[in-house]
């Protein structure tokens, strides 16, 4: 073990991320012992790993459900994986539950940016273009793009900040799950119910 990297710092990073001891150790070594930088390195790698596994077939999954304590709001999420070995894992099922709780709290309309109907995108674009009249063409494009991102960020599940850790989006949470479980993980559908 490297002089600079303590067992405690590896354990702390592993507890935060759930990834393997070796991956935590490598990230800490690359970050020269800085745990915050190591966390960024692991998140970057989790995105790369998720992209590589993006075309794998999903063969199993779990349904996560959440019912708010007052009994008037609930949500269900179908979280899929490649194998039942992963989908039966307690951490996987907890992730499905946490995402269902997030859906109940945040009420997203769409799963991903690709799910936004063209008509909705067009209407929003028209409103933001009108608001940016009088600016240069280049400035208008930047303003409209920024306003569209901001407007739809709250409506798209994968783009929302996770309620239990606002530093992480749901998309990043899924990428980290791919790294932790070693196979493709996808939210295939969700629903929110209100009495």
């Amino acid at each position: 073990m490297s002089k600079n990297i303590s067992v405690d710092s590896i354990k702390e990073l592993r507890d935060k991320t759930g990834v393997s001891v070796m991956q935590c150790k490598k990230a800490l070594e690359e970050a020269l012992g800085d745990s915050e930088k190591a966390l960024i390195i692991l998140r970057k790698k989790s995105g790369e790993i998720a992209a590589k596994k993006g075309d794998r077939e999903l063969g199993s999954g779990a349904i996560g459900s959440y019912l708010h304590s007052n009994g008037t709001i609930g949500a269900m999420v179908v979280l899929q994986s490649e194998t039942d070995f992963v989908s039966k894992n307690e951490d996987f099922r907890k992730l499905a539950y946490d995402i269902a709780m997030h859906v109940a709290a945040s009420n997203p309309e769409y799963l991903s940016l690709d799910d936004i109907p063209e008509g909705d995108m067009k209407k929003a674009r028209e409103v933001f273009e009108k608001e940016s009249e009088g600016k240069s063409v280049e400035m208008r494009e930047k303003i409209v793009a920024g306003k569209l991102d901001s407007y739809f960020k709250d409506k798209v599940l994968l783009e929302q900040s996770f309620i239990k850790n606002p530093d992480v989006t749901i998309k990043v949470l899924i990428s980290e799950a791919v790294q932790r479980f070693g196979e493709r993980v996808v939210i295939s559908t969700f629903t929110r119910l209100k009495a």
Side-chain angles (χ1 to χ4, degrees):
M1 183 154 317
S2 174
K3 286 185 207 176
N4 301 345
I5 311 302
S6 71
V7 173
D8 289 339
S9 60
I10 294 171
K11 183 181 180 325
E12 182 181 323
L13 188 58
R14 177 165 165 62
D15 290 345
K16 276 185 186 175
T17 63
V19 299
S20 74
V21 171
M22 285 308 296
Q23 288 180 41
C24 290
K25 181 179 182 246
K26 285 179 184 176
L28 281 164
E29 286 172 349
E30 188 176 329
L32 303 174
D34 185 325
S35 62
E36 292 303 312
K37 286 182 183 175
L39 193 58
I40 293 168
I41 290 166
L42 285 174
R43 285 194 179 135
K44 181 178 176 273
K45 287 183 181 175
S46 67
E48 292 167 1
I49 290 168
K52 287 179 187 174
K53 297 181 187 236
D55 60 350
R56 290 188 178 177
E57 190 172 322
L58 299 167
S60 194
I63 296 173
S65 63
Y66 172 80
L67 183 62
H68 193 63
S69 62
N70 65 10
T72 62
I73 297 173
M76 294 179 79
V77 170
V78 178
L79 189 63
Q80 293 191 286
S81 64
E82 296 171 43
T83 65
D84 64 349
F85 176 77
V86 168
S87 68
K88 290 180 179 178
N89 181 300
E90 186 180 324
D91 288 340
F92 185 87
R93 291 179 180 271
K94 179 160 180 5
L95 177 62
Y97 171 83
D98 284 348
I99 294 171
M101 181 176 24
H102 174 90
V103 167
S106 64
N107 194 19
E109 293 178 40
Y110 314 104
L111 176 60
S112 72
L113 291 170
D114 295 334
D115 295 334
I116 300 170
E118 186 62 37
D120 291 358
M121 186 66 83
K122 185 178 178 186
K123 286 176 190 172
R125 179 176 285 284
E126 288 171 1
V127 168
F128 299 138
E129 282 176 349
K130 187 169 177 96
E131 288 178 2
S132 64
E133 284 178 354
K135 306 283 185 193
S136 69
V137 175
E138 186 178 293
M139 184 58 75
R140 282 179 69 180
E141 280 303 310
K142 287 181 181 178
I143 291 170
V144 169
K147 287 187 177 217
L148 282 171
D149 285 347
S150 177
Y151 177 72
F152 284 111
K153 181 179 188 220
D154 292 338
K155 298 180 180 314
V156 176
L157 177 59
L158 292 175
E159 303 301 319
Q160 291 179 337
S161 295
F162 182 40
I163 58 168
K164 290 177 91 176
N165 180 1
D167 296 336
V168 177
T169 63
I170 299 297
K171 185 188 296 183
V172 169
L173 194 67
I174 294 297
S175 293
E176 289 175 348
V178 171
Q179 184 178 20
R180 186 174 348 138
F181 298 120
E183 61 183 53
R184 186 173 173 218
V185 175
V186 172
I187 301 170
S188 62
T189 189
F190 69 91
T191 189
R192 181 180 187 266
L193 305 165
K194 184 173 183 186

